[in-house]
Amino acid sequence: MNNGKLANITPFSADGVEITIAGDVVHFGGVISMRNPSDTVTPFLRKIHDAVVASAMKSITVNITKLRFMNSSSIRSLVDWVEWIRAEPEAKRYVLQFLMNPNVTWQTTTLSAIQVLGGDSVVVRAGT
């Protein structure tokens, strides 16, 4: 259960991307092509991370099946997320479960690399 901490996070919407939370699923939609996602997207993902840790959740799903494109600067935000998890004491770590569209090449290649980086903290599977 997320104890409502995730429910208190206001959805993110800017420059063609929308990130919403429903239960224990973070939904990405649209396109992330902003020049400095570290000013907007990264702090939003940090809020989610902090809420997951505070709630003692053991996993959260990140659905990117409706994300059409993500530039390399934005991919860094996902890498940061994985690094935050790995920096937590083992008892507070959780698993990022990515749902991706296997027919979208950038999703497959990006998440393969993130899965290698994340080790046990990252699971990637095909979504619908």
Side-chain angles (χ1 to χ4, degrees):
M1 292 309 294
N2 68 28
N3 297 336
K5 290 187 188 330
L6 289 175
N8 293 334
I9 298 174
T10 304
F12 176 86
S13 181
D15 299 329
V17 65
E18 215 175 83
I19 307 172
T20 59
I21 303 167
D24 62 353
V25 181
V26 179
H27 295 274
F28 282 72
V31 171
I32 305 179
S33 59
M34 54 193 71
R35 178 174 287 203
N36 293 312
S38 58
D39 295 339
T40 54
V41 174
T42 304
F44 182 78
L45 297 181
R46 183 64 198 215
K47 267 192 228 174
I48 296 170
H49 167 76
D50 291 343
V52 170
V53 170
S55 299
M57 295 170 65
K58 289 298 166 198
S59 73
I60 187 164
T61 300
V62 180
N63 184 336
I64 66 165
T65 58
K66 293 189 172 30
L67 189 61
R68 295 188 309 275
F69 177 75
M70 185 176 217
N71 67 4
S72 58
S73 300
S74 302
I75 291 167
R76 178 68 213 184
S77 298
L78 295 179
V79 171
D80 287 346
W81 195 353
V82 171
E83 290 176 346
W84 300 329
I85 295 170
R86 295 175 59 88
E88 292 290 341
E90 194 158 331
K92 293 188 174 212
R93 289 184 197 158
Y94 58 94
V95 175
L96 274 179
Q97 297 185 55
F98 285 97
L99 293 180
M100 58 98 180
N101 182 340
N103 299 316
V104 178
T105 305
W106 75 263
Q107 289 185 13
T108 305
T109 55
T110 297
L111 291 180
S112 293
I114 288 174
Q115 189 169 27
V116 169
L117 172 74
D120 293 342
S121 299
V122 176
V123 173
V124 177
R125 52 183 221 261
T128 52

